Amino acid sequence: MSSPSPWDINRERMVEEQLIPRGIHDEATLRAMRTVPRHLFVDDAMASAAYGDHPLPIGSGQTISQPYIVALMTQALALKGHERVLEIGTGSGYQAAVLSRICRKVYTIERIDALLVRARKVFDRLHYHNIISRIDDGTAGWPDEAPFDGILVTAGGPKIPEPLIEQLADPGRLVIPVGDQFLQELQLLEKTKGEIKVRTIEYVRFVNLIGTHGWSA
Ligand code: SAM
């Protein structure tokens, strides 16, 4: 076996120092966070900071989320492996890549063309072929492919978009930051036997969810 690269060492340190002490315990989530090369999802100039405990800019005024938040949102979906998951806000593609290691298929929507073009190149390079992506307003969901076992929104909106609740399978879990443009509650919505329960799992600060069922541009 070859010895670990500096990237592998940084990634392991990220898991041991940032994720496990903060309560990330789901084995599948930890495995994916240990596997996906986060440094490939940021510009070369920022690669050395990729495993730091913070978000990073990815261009077009957007960000790749802090590793802990990616892990927390992933863990909240409680994936077992058979699921089809919808992500709104592809951004760098990192969150979709993490999801793709622990579910059957990921559908991801981004509204900014340049970001999706770059993310797709990384998916191809890594041979992550179970990620399907498109440019659109993700607040309307992806009706043709619904229902989804899990939905993850990686931008903050004023409320949970109704189309996403409709497109969530039963049982299903939806994770979304909801609040004003400065601070949001990370909400977990669970649909079970027709019943909907929503609880807050963390306080977060995300970029805006812009669209018909989000903020106006
Ligand atoms: N998941 C991303 C990652 O792993 O890098 C982080 C995404 S960034 C915090 C939020 C993204 O949501 C931005 O790229 C932004 O353009 C996108 N976004 C905002 N509103 C959107 C919408 N209505 N539909 C699709 N994407 C949207």
Side-chain angles (χ1 to χ4, degrees), residues 157-171:
K159 58 179 172 28
I160 305 179
E162 203 53 48
L164 300 186
I165 300 176
E166 282 161 16
Q167 291 172 37
L168 186 66
D170 185 348

Side-chain angles (χ1 to χ4, degrees), residues 62-63 87 89-92 95 110-111 115 137-138 154 208 210:
Q62 306 302 321
T63 52
E87 181 203 24
T90 317
S92 69
Q95 174 75 75
E110 173 55 57
R111 61 182 286 277
L115 293 178
D137 169 11
T154 64
N208 291 347
I210 296 171

Side-chain angles (χ1 to χ4, degrees), residues 58 60 62-65 70 87-96 109-112 115 136-140 154-155 206-212:
I58 54 171
S60 309
Q62 306 302 321
T63 52
I64 176 174
S65 303
V70 173
E87 181 203 24
I88 311 304
T90 317
S92 69
Y94 177 67
Q95 174 75 75
I109 308 178
E110 173 55 57
R111 61 182 286 277
I112 300 176
L115 293 178
D136 212 334
D137 169 11
T139 65
T154 64
F206 270 83
V207 296
N208 291 347
L209 178 69
I210 296 171
T212 309

Side-chain angles (χ1 to χ4, degrees), residues 105-184:
K105 210 161 184 176
V106 179
Y107 297 81
T108 181
I109 308 178
E110 173 55 57
R111 61 182 286 277
I112 300 176
D113 206 39
L115 293 178
L116 194 60
V117 168
R118 189 189 183 286
R120 277 180 178 156
K121 284 190 185 142
V122 189
F123 299 152
D124 287 345
R125 176 173 170 188
L126 293 169
H127 304 288
Y128 288 178
H129 299 307
N130 62 338
I131 305 174
I132 318 287
S133 59
R134 73 178 168 106
I135 286 288
D136 212 334
D137 169 11
T139 65
W142 197 321
D144 293 349
E145 294 292 348
F148 299 97
D149 306 297
I151 300 180
L152 207 158
V153 184
T154 64
K159 58 179 172 28
I160 305 179
E162 203 53 48
L164 300 186
I165 300 176
E166 282 161 16
Q167 291 172 37
L168 186 66
D170 185 348
R173 289 177 163 225
L174 187 163
V175 178
I176 179 171
V178 177
D180 61 27
Q181 300 181 357
F182 303 100
L183 184 71
Q184 303 98 33

Side-chain angles (χ1 to χ4, degrees), residues 75-86:
Q75 173 169 277
L77 289 181
L79 300 170
K80 299 283 175 265
H82 62 273
E83 298 89 350
R84 297 164 68 252
V85 176
L86 173 67

